[in-house]
Amino acid sequence: MPPATSWAATLVRMTDPEPPRPAPAGPAHLPVLRDRVTGLLAGDLPPDARGVLVDATLGAGGHAAALLAATPPGVTLVGIDQDPDALALAGERLAPFGDRVVLVHARFDALAASVAPVLATAGPLLGVLYDLGVSSMQLDRGERGFSFRADAPLDMRMDTTRGATAADLVNGSDAGALVRILREYGEEPQARRIADALVRARPVTTTGELARIVRDALPAAVRHRSGRTADPATRTFQALRIAVNAELDTFRASLPQALELAPPAAHPGRPTGLRGGRVAVLAYHSLEDRIAKRAFADAARGCVCPPDLPVCACGREPLVRLLTRGAESPGPDEVDRNPRARSARLRAVEVLRGAPPTA
Ligand SMILES: C[S@@+](CC[C@H](N)C(=O)[O-])C[C@H]1O[C@@H](n2cnc3c(N)ncnc32)[C@H](O)[C@@H]1O
């Protein structure tokens, strides 16, 4: 996969002469904790606010549409996605908002470069949203190769225009590397057995083959363990998807950019009365939630002097304030309507001051 810096972002203003490709028909994606996310990112803005909201994971544009509807016309939304199909779908959905929308085909570790041209004319930055992971469309479209429920080429790339597929990974990695992927990204206790079975069965080219190999590799007692609700291949599919899309590294590289780009309320040149920039993260498994939790806790920490020091010598002040107490989860009604919301964890912060310059 090429380094993040070489990923050229493609910007499309919604009024540009060449609109995105027509969206393929497909199942809907329900935006998780939509009203809470909208309140956090679009809330507390004056009616004449001018600035930029970034949806770094545009998907079907559900959160983006809610953000646009909740903000004054002076607010521009930059929608980033690495999946060209998602951009096409969201482009259609957001067309009624006209030139308040800018679509960017990019991976979000290129966040700063992707939003710079828009901030230069429509800034300042008011907030950034990450709704991590895959969308329902990606999972439900069997041909994308994300799901063991359909038999399709083993792909799993969110960006179908570049990069190695899951088949490349399974067929090209040694057993040790596969074990690490399954353990680290899938927390799969049977990683060694599954990796050895995959190596023996190569080449593995379809999702159906992968699922069957994983199921056959597991001891019967594990396969039929009482209380097991998920398919035994679930962890393997999650692990490969995270590895193929470098999901954790990309998020780790992007989140500090969002915190750095979001200005504090008292930023020079920022209109008085405008609150600081906000960053919200919806995570769906503990690995990505941990990255947000640590980054936010670190930025929210003030004085780090030993407790027995009578006065502060470090001078450190919090860079952000936490807007959520711990992680917030959807209530039972939302989970009933949208089972995919079950594992969601929402965290958000508001930037209070700029980071001190690094030496
Ligand atoms: C959970 S969906 C977002 C759904 C969206 N909030 C909505 O309401 O429709 C996640 C989307 O983020 C995109 N995505 C995931 N990781 C990305 C990354 N590193 N860079 C850009 N897009 C990414 C996926 O392609 C997918 O379309």
Side-chain angles (χ1 to χ4, degrees), residues 10-142:
T10 315
L11 262 72
V12 184
R13 262 277 171 193
M14 292 294 291
T15 45
D16 279 357
E18 272 198 44
R21 288 185 288 138
H29 176 98
L30 299 175
V32 174
L33 284 169
R34 185 197 60 189
D35 294 346
R36 178 65 175 139
V37 167
T38 306
L40 285 165
L41 291 175
D44 305 320
L45 291 176
D48 60 348
R50 192 184 154 275
V52 177
L53 283 172
V54 178
D55 185 340
T57 49
L58 186 64
H63 285 111
L67 289 169
L68 283 157
T71 45
V75 173
T76 299
L77 181 126
V78 179
I80 300 175
D81 208 295
Q82 59 178 332
D83 180 345
D85 286 352
L87 283 175
L89 190 65
E92 277 203 349
R93 181 178 196 165
L94 302 178
F97 295 99
D99 67 0
R100 290 184 63 201
V101 179
V102 179
L103 302 180
V104 185
H105 180 225
R107 217 169 64 171
F108 59 50
D109 51 354
L111 184 78
S114 301
V115 299
V118 186
L119 289 181
T121 56
L125 184 66
L126 302 170
V128 181
L129 169 64
Y130 296 90
D131 179 16
L132 297 168
V134 270
S135 67
S136 302
M137 291 88 62
Q138 288 165 330
L139 282 174
D140 294 344
R141 286 195 188 138

Side-chain angles (χ1 to χ4, degrees), residues 252-267:
R252 242 182 242 116
S254 184
L255 191 55
Q257 295 178 45
L259 291 171
E260 217 159 284
L261 282 174
H267 199 62

Side-chain angles (χ1 to χ4, degrees), residues 86-256:
L87 283 175
L89 190 65
E92 277 203 349
R93 181 178 196 165
L94 302 178
F97 295 99
D99 67 0
R100 290 184 63 201
V101 179
V102 179
L103 302 180
V104 185
H105 180 225
R107 217 169 64 171
F108 59 50
D109 51 354
L111 184 78
S114 301
V115 299
V118 186
L119 289 181
T121 56
L125 184 66
L126 302 170
V128 181
L129 169 64
Y130 296 90
D131 179 16
L132 297 168
V134 270
S135 67
S136 302
M137 291 88 62
Q138 288 165 330
L139 282 174
D140 294 344
R141 286 195 188 138
E143 73 276 12
R144 298 293 302 266
F146 285 105
S147 172
F148 46 78
R149 291 184 215 289
D151 195 14
L154 189 53
D155 192 322
M156 297 198 193
R157 289 170 304 161
M158 291 184 196
D159 186 345
T160 45
T161 67
R162 65 191 106 202
T165 65
D168 295 332
L169 201 66
V170 168
N171 297 318
S173 308
D174 62 35
L178 289 173
V179 171
R180 280 193 296 281
I181 289 170
L182 296 175
R183 279 207 186 119
E184 199 173 321
Y185 301 148
E187 297 171 286
E188 172 58 71
Q190 305 290 332
R192 169 55 67 183
R193 271 175 188 271
I194 294 171
D196 288 344
L198 288 173
V199 169
R200 278 196 304 275
R202 293 201 291 217
V204 183
T205 57
T206 68
T207 50
E209 280 167 37
L210 177 69
R212 189 170 28 76
I213 295 162
V214 174
R215 289 177 197 130
D216 290 351
L218 299 179
V222 173
R223 242 178 305 152
H224 304 299
R225 183 170 294 151
S226 69
R228 182 190 266 288
T229 49
D231 188 288
T234 306
R235 289 170 184 271
T236 298
F237 272 72
Q238 173 185 300
L240 290 174
R241 191 203 84 209
I242 292 175
V244 163
N245 296 290
E247 289 180 33
L248 301 181
D249 288 345
T250 309
F251 181 46
R252 242 182 242 116
S254 184
L255 191 55

Side-chain angles (χ1 to χ4, degrees), residues 267-310:
H267 199 62
R270 194 168 170 83
T272 9
L274 197 56
R275 59 156 170 80
R278 294 181 175 178
V279 180
V281 177
L282 271 166
Y284 295 87
H285 54 76
S286 58
L287 300 168
E288 56 194 15
D289 182 47
R290 202 174 302 150
I291 295 171
K293 181 179 172 181
R294 286 194 180 148
F296 288 172
D298 189 46
R301 193 172 309 132
C303 169
V304 288
C305 292
D308 53 349
L309 218 61

